[in-house]
Short mmCIF file of all heavy atoms in Angstrom, two decimals:
data_model
loop_
_atom_site.label_atom_id
_atom_site.label_comp_id
_atom_site.label_asym_id
_atom_site.label_seq_id
_atom_site.Cartn_x
_atom_site.Cartn_y
_atom_site.Cartn_z
N LEU A 1 0.85 -1.19 0.00
CA LEU A 1 0.00 0.00 0.00
C LEU A 1 0.89 1.24 0.00
O LEU A 1 1.93 1.26 0.66
CB LEU A 1 -0.92 0.00 1.22
CG LEU A 1 -1.85 -1.21 1.36
CD1 LEU A 1 -2.70 -1.08 2.63
CD2 LEU A 1 -2.75 -1.38 0.14
N TYR A 2 0.45 2.28 -0.72
CA TYR A 2 1.27 3.48 -0.91
C TYR A 2 0.48 4.76 -0.60
O TYR A 2 0.18 5.54 -1.51
CB TYR A 2 1.80 3.51 -2.35
CG TYR A 2 2.71 2.35 -2.69
CD1 TYR A 2 2.21 1.23 -3.36
CD2 TYR A 2 4.05 2.36 -2.33
CE1 TYR A 2 3.04 0.16 -3.68
CE2 TYR A 2 4.89 1.29 -2.64
CZ TYR A 2 4.38 0.20 -3.32
OH TYR A 2 5.20 -0.87 -3.61
N PRO A 3 0.15 5.00 0.65
CA PRO A 3 -0.55 6.25 1.00
C PRO A 3 0.39 7.45 0.86
O PRO A 3 1.63 7.31 0.93
CB PRO A 3 -0.94 6.03 2.46
CG PRO A 3 0.11 5.10 2.99
CD PRO A 3 0.43 4.17 1.84
N SER A 4 -0.20 8.62 0.71
CA SER A 4 0.59 9.85 0.58
C SER A 4 0.59 10.63 1.89
O SER A 4 -0.45 10.79 2.53
CB SER A 4 0.01 10.73 -0.53
OG SER A 4 0.63 12.02 -0.53
N ILE A 5 1.78 11.11 2.27
CA ILE A 5 1.89 11.97 3.45
C ILE A 5 2.60 13.27 3.08
O ILE A 5 3.36 13.84 3.87
CB ILE A 5 2.61 11.25 4.62
CG1 ILE A 5 3.99 10.74 4.19
CG2 ILE A 5 1.76 10.10 5.14
CD1 ILE A 5 4.80 10.19 5.35
N TYR A 6 2.36 13.75 1.87
CA TYR A 6 2.90 15.04 1.45
C TYR A 6 2.40 16.14 2.39
O TYR A 6 1.26 16.11 2.85
CB TYR A 6 2.44 15.39 0.03
CG TYR A 6 2.99 14.51 -1.07
CD1 TYR A 6 2.51 14.66 -2.37
CD2 TYR A 6 3.97 13.56 -0.83
CE1 TYR A 6 3.00 13.88 -3.41
CE2 TYR A 6 4.46 12.77 -1.86
CZ TYR A 6 3.97 12.93 -3.15
OH TYR A 6 4.46 12.17 -4.16
N LEU A 7 3.26 17.12 2.63
CA LEU A 7 2.89 18.23 3.50
C LEU A 7 2.70 19.52 2.70
O LEU A 7 3.48 19.80 1.77
CB LEU A 7 3.97 18.48 4.56
CG LEU A 7 4.20 17.41 5.62
CD1 LEU A 7 5.18 17.93 6.67
CD2 LEU A 7 2.90 16.97 6.28
N GLN A 8 1.71 20.30 3.08
CA GLN A 8 1.57 21.66 2.60
C GLN A 8 2.30 22.59 3.56
O GLN A 8 2.51 22.26 4.73
CB GLN A 8 0.10 22.05 2.48
CG GLN A 8 -0.65 21.25 1.43
CD GLN A 8 -2.09 21.71 1.27
OE1 GLN A 8 -2.47 22.78 1.71
NE2 GLN A 8 -2.91 20.88 0.62
N VAL A 9 2.68 23.75 3.07
CA VAL A 9 3.51 24.65 3.87
C VAL A 9 2.78 25.11 5.13
O VAL A 9 3.41 25.46 6.13
CB VAL A 9 3.96 25.85 3.01
CG1 VAL A 9 2.82 26.82 2.77
CG2 VAL A 9 5.17 26.55 3.64
N GLY A 10 1.45 25.07 5.13
CA GLY A 10 0.70 25.43 6.32
C GLY A 10 0.92 24.48 7.49
O GLY A 10 0.59 24.79 8.63
N LEU A 11 1.50 23.30 7.19
CA LEU A 11 1.79 22.31 8.23
C LEU A 11 3.26 22.30 8.62
O LEU A 11 3.70 21.42 9.37
CB LEU A 11 1.37 20.91 7.76
CG LEU A 11 -0.14 20.66 7.68
CD1 LEU A 11 -0.44 19.32 7.01
CD2 LEU A 11 -0.76 20.71 9.07
N ALA A 12 4.03 23.27 8.15
CA ALA A 12 5.45 23.32 8.48
C ALA A 12 5.65 23.48 9.99
O ALA A 12 5.06 24.37 10.61
CB ALA A 12 6.12 24.48 7.74
N ASP A 13 6.45 22.59 10.57
CA ASP A 13 6.75 22.63 12.02
C ASP A 13 5.47 22.75 12.84
O ASP A 13 5.41 23.48 13.83
CB ASP A 13 7.72 23.77 12.33
CG ASP A 13 9.09 23.55 11.71
OD1 ASP A 13 9.65 22.47 11.93
OD2 ASP A 13 9.56 24.44 10.99
N ASN A 14 4.46 22.04 12.40
CA ASN A 14 3.14 22.12 13.01
C ASN A 14 2.78 20.75 13.57
O ASN A 14 2.80 19.75 12.83
CB ASN A 14 2.12 22.56 11.96
CG ASN A 14 0.75 22.86 12.53
OD1 ASN A 14 0.36 22.33 13.57
ND2 ASN A 14 0.00 23.71 11.85
N PRO A 15 2.42 20.65 14.85
CA PRO A 15 2.06 19.34 15.41
C PRO A 15 0.87 18.70 14.73
O PRO A 15 0.67 17.48 14.82
CB PRO A 15 1.77 19.66 16.89
CG PRO A 15 1.54 21.13 16.94
CD PRO A 15 2.38 21.73 15.87
N LYS A 16 0.05 19.50 14.03
CA LYS A 16 -1.09 18.93 13.31
C LYS A 16 -0.62 18.07 12.14
O LYS A 16 -1.37 17.20 11.67
CB LYS A 16 -2.03 20.03 12.85
CG LYS A 16 -2.76 20.72 13.99
CD LYS A 16 -3.73 21.76 13.48
CE LYS A 16 -4.49 22.43 14.64
NZ LYS A 16 -5.44 23.45 14.17
N ALA A 17 0.60 18.30 11.66
CA ALA A 17 1.14 17.45 10.60
C ALA A 17 1.27 16.02 11.09
O ALA A 17 0.97 15.07 10.36
CB ALA A 17 2.49 17.99 10.13
N ALA A 18 1.72 15.86 12.34
CA ALA A 18 1.84 14.52 12.91
C ALA A 18 0.47 13.85 13.00
O ALA A 18 0.35 12.64 12.72
CB ALA A 18 2.49 14.59 14.29
N LEU A 19 -0.57 14.60 13.35
CA LEU A 19 -1.91 14.03 13.43
C LEU A 19 -2.41 13.59 12.05
O LEU A 19 -3.02 12.53 11.90
CB LEU A 19 -2.88 15.06 14.02
CG LEU A 19 -2.60 15.52 15.45
CD1 LEU A 19 -3.61 16.59 15.87
CD2 LEU A 19 -2.66 14.34 16.42
N MET A 20 -2.14 14.42 11.05
CA MET A 20 -2.56 14.09 9.70
C MET A 20 -1.86 12.82 9.22
O MET A 20 -2.50 11.87 8.75
CB MET A 20 -2.25 15.25 8.75
CG MET A 20 -2.74 15.03 7.32
SD MET A 20 -1.52 14.21 6.25
CE MET A 20 -0.39 15.58 5.95
N VAL A 21 -0.54 12.78 9.36
CA VAL A 21 0.23 11.63 8.90
C VAL A 21 -0.11 10.39 9.71
O VAL A 21 -0.31 9.29 9.16
CB VAL A 21 1.74 11.94 8.99
CG1 VAL A 21 2.57 10.68 8.72
CG2 VAL A 21 2.12 13.04 8.02
N ARG A 22 -0.17 10.54 11.01
CA ARG A 22 -0.43 9.40 11.91
C ARG A 22 -1.69 8.66 11.51
O ARG A 22 -1.72 7.42 11.44
CB ARG A 22 -0.55 9.92 13.34
CG ARG A 22 -0.74 8.88 14.41
CD ARG A 22 -0.79 9.56 15.77
NE ARG A 22 0.41 10.37 16.01
CZ ARG A 22 0.51 11.31 16.92
NH1 ARG A 22 -0.52 11.59 17.70
NH2 ARG A 22 1.64 11.99 17.08
N ASN A 23 -2.75 9.40 11.23
CA ASN A 23 -4.02 8.74 10.93
C ASN A 23 -4.07 8.20 9.51
O ASN A 23 -4.77 7.21 9.25
CB ASN A 23 -5.17 9.70 11.21
CG ASN A 23 -5.41 9.88 12.69
OD1 ASN A 23 -6.06 9.05 13.32
ND2 ASN A 23 -4.85 10.94 13.28
N ARG A 24 -3.33 8.80 8.59
CA ARG A 24 -3.26 8.22 7.25
C ARG A 24 -2.52 6.89 7.27
O ARG A 24 -2.95 5.92 6.62
CB ARG A 24 -2.58 9.19 6.28
CG ARG A 24 -3.42 10.41 5.96
CD ARG A 24 -2.84 11.25 4.85
NE ARG A 24 -3.69 12.41 4.59
CZ ARG A 24 -3.49 13.28 3.63
NH1 ARG A 24 -2.45 13.14 2.81
NH2 ARG A 24 -4.31 14.31 3.46
N ILE A 25 -1.43 6.84 8.00
CA ILE A 25 -0.68 5.59 8.10
C ILE A 25 -1.49 4.55 8.86
O ILE A 25 -1.54 3.37 8.47
CB ILE A 25 0.67 5.82 8.79
CG1 ILE A 25 1.54 6.79 7.97
CG2 ILE A 25 1.41 4.48 8.97
CD1 ILE A 25 1.88 6.31 6.58
N GLN A 26 -2.14 4.97 9.93
CA GLN A 26 -2.95 4.04 10.71
C GLN A 26 -4.08 3.45 9.88
O GLN A 26 -4.40 2.26 9.99
CB GLN A 26 -3.50 4.73 11.95
CG GLN A 26 -4.20 3.81 12.92
CD GLN A 26 -3.27 2.82 13.59
OE1 GLN A 26 -2.05 2.97 13.52
NE2 GLN A 26 -3.83 1.82 14.24
N GLU A 27 -4.68 4.26 9.02
CA GLU A 27 -5.75 3.76 8.15
C GLU A 27 -5.19 2.76 7.14
O GLU A 27 -5.83 1.74 6.84
CB GLU A 27 -6.45 4.90 7.43
CG GLU A 27 -7.53 4.50 6.44
CD GLU A 27 -8.73 3.79 7.07
OE1 GLU A 27 -8.76 3.59 8.31
OE2 GLU A 27 -9.64 3.43 6.30
N ALA A 28 -4.00 3.03 6.62
CA ALA A 28 -3.37 2.09 5.70
C ALA A 28 -3.08 0.76 6.40
O ALA A 28 -3.30 -0.32 5.82
CB ALA A 28 -2.08 2.68 5.13
N LEU A 29 -2.62 0.82 7.63
CA LEU A 29 -2.37 -0.40 8.39
C LEU A 29 -3.68 -1.14 8.67
O LEU A 29 -3.72 -2.38 8.66
CB LEU A 29 -1.65 -0.06 9.70
CG LEU A 29 -0.24 0.52 9.55
CD1 LEU A 29 0.26 1.05 10.88
CD2 LEU A 29 0.72 -0.53 9.00
N ARG A 30 -4.74 -0.38 8.91
CA ARG A 30 -6.03 -1.01 9.18
C ARG A 30 -6.53 -1.79 7.96
O ARG A 30 -6.92 -2.96 8.07
CB ARG A 30 -7.08 0.04 9.57
CG ARG A 30 -8.42 -0.55 10.00
CD ARG A 30 -9.48 0.53 10.18
NE ARG A 30 -9.96 1.08 8.93
CZ ARG A 30 -10.92 0.52 8.18
NH1 ARG A 30 -11.48 -0.63 8.55
NH2 ARG A 30 -11.30 1.09 7.04
N VAL A 31 -6.51 -1.14 6.78
CA VAL A 31 -7.05 -1.82 5.60
C VAL A 31 -6.12 -2.95 5.14
O VAL A 31 -6.58 -3.91 4.51
CB VAL A 31 -7.33 -0.83 4.44
CG1 VAL A 31 -8.28 0.26 4.87
CG2 VAL A 31 -6.04 -0.25 3.88
N SER A 32 -4.83 -2.86 5.49
CA SER A 32 -3.92 -3.94 5.12
C SER A 32 -4.29 -5.23 5.83
O SER A 32 -3.93 -6.33 5.38
CB SER A 32 -2.47 -3.56 5.45
OG SER A 32 -2.23 -3.61 6.85
N ALA A 33 -5.00 -5.10 6.94
CA ALA A 33 -5.41 -6.27 7.72
C ALA A 33 -6.79 -6.79 7.33
O ALA A 33 -7.23 -7.82 7.85
CB ALA A 33 -5.38 -5.95 9.21
N LEU A 34 -7.50 -6.10 6.43
CA LEU A 34 -8.85 -6.52 6.05
C LEU A 34 -8.88 -7.84 5.28
O LEU A 34 -9.73 -8.69 5.55
CB LEU A 34 -9.54 -5.42 5.24
CG LEU A 34 -9.90 -4.14 6.01
CD1 LEU A 34 -10.55 -3.13 5.08
CD2 LEU A 34 -10.84 -4.44 7.18
#
């Protein structure tokens, strides 16, 4: 699976970037187990 975790400049040095990436990866891990 190849999810995207590209960042926009509005997320530079922003803790919300971790939230965005964390949940995208977690969703990829979830569907990999389906």
Side-chain angles (χ1 to χ4, degrees):
L1 302 179
Y2 298 97
S4 171
I5 56 172
Y6 292 173
L7 294 187
Q8 294 184 16
V9 74
L11 288 172
D13 294 308
N14 188 334
K16 290 183 179 180
L19 298 177
M20 184 270 284
V21 171
R22 183 178 304 162
N23 286 279
R24 289 189 181 185
I25 298 299
Q26 187 67 13
E27 177 64 0
L29 295 169
R30 185 188 74 83
V31 303
S32 74
L34 291 179

